Amino acid sequence: MASMYLSQVDFHILEEHELDELSSNQNKQIAKSWFKRLLIIAFLIGIFVVFQVMARKSVPHMFGESTPVQRLYRISGLVFLVANILSYLELYFRFKVTFEKDRDKAAKLKVVKKMVVVKNAFIPYRQRFLVCEQDGNFLLDYVYVNSPITFSNIKKGKEIYVKQLKDDGHHKYQVIS
């Protein structure tokens, strides 16, 4: 197995069948990420509502007659709906809108390994990246993934599309499906 850098990979404007596959992969990625976010939002709002209802039952004089539980349910449902719509729009924008089919260069890579590195700083943070290969050539560079939910959706052995970002001389790449 030969080794090469990401800068040596043939990034090209995708053909029609590749665009169809990319669109299908993006739709799956959006659906998986949105469903996970939906569950997280539902869990957080559920905890909030449960504690609010418990507080209203145990200490009713603090809330008075102007804030009934039904109003809490309506507002919580509205917040849930708006948060999920905004979540979907963010995912759609990140995966679909930012990729220009006619201009952006992309390549199809196969994920060999997923890695998480914890950087110890004043506030520790995690960097998630993928080790990939293309056409049997091991890539020495890593592909960074910013979103933890997107990172969890990518499985070892899966083929992903990576976009080469436009920049001034440095090589930066972004996972687009």
Side-chain angles (χ1 to χ4, degrees):
M1 178 181 275
S3 298
M4 60 192 270
Y5 291 100
L6 269 172
S7 60
Q8 298 170 330
V9 171
D10 179 31
F11 285 92
H12 60 283
I13 295 175
L14 299 178
E15 297 173 6
E16 199 63 37
H17 64 82
E18 291 174 321
L19 286 173
D20 292 340
E21 183 181 358
L22 173 65
S23 178
S24 172
N25 289 346
Q26 285 177 335
N27 290 340
K28 289 176 187 174
Q29 181 77 317
I30 288 171
K32 286 179 185 177
S33 297
W34 182 75
F35 184 70
K36 287 181 180 181
R37 287 181 179 186
L38 179 130
L39 293 177
I40 292 169
I41 292 169
F43 180 73
L44 293 176
I45 289 178
I47 288 175
F48 175 77
V49 167
V50 166
F51 281 109
Q52 280 292 314
V53 169
M54 287 174 29
R56 289 167 196 263
K57 297 285 185 194
S58 63
V59 195
H61 63 277
M62 288 185 67
F63 296 98
E65 295 295 324
S66 64
T67 57
V69 176
Q70 289 77 19
R71 183 174 176 202
L72 173 71
Y73 292 151
R74 280 194 307 263
I75 291 173
S76 298
L78 184 62
V79 168
F80 177 74
L81 182 66
V82 168
N84 281 308
I85 290 172
L86 290 175
S87 171
Y88 179 79
L89 289 175
E90 187 271 331
L91 288 168
Y92 186 82
F93 181 78
R94 181 170 16 133
F95 286 110
K96 294 278 191 171
V97 175
T98 58
F99 180 70
E100 298 175 21
K101 296 177 182 179
D102 300 334
R103 293 187 200 167
D104 287 340
K105 296 181 178 181
K108 188 176 185 178
L109 306 176
K110 182 178 180 183
V111 177
V112 176
K113 187 175 184 179
K114 295 171 49 171
M115 300 178 78
V116 177
V117 174
V118 178
K119 297 284 186 171
N120 290 326
F122 182 67
I123 299 175
Y125 63 96
R126 296 174 191 244
Q127 283 187 327
R128 297 160 186 85
F129 54 91
L130 307 170
V131 179
C132 299
E133 70 176 22
Q134 183 190 36
D135 299 330
N137 295 324
F138 183 75
L139 298 176
L140 298 173
D141 295 328
Y142 304 129
V143 178
Y144 291 94
V145 181
N146 293 332
S147 171
I149 293 178
T150 302
F151 184 77
S152 70
N153 290 338
I154 298 172
K155 303 298 179 206
K156 184 177 169 184
K158 181 181 177 184
E159 292 186 341
I160 60 170
Y161 281 92
V162 176
K163 174 175 94 170
Q164 184 178 26
L165 297 177
K166 299 172 192 148
D167 57 349
D168 50 352
H170 298 86
H171 299 289
K172 294 182 182 178
Y173 307 94
Q174 178 182 10
V175 176
I176 55 175
S177 77

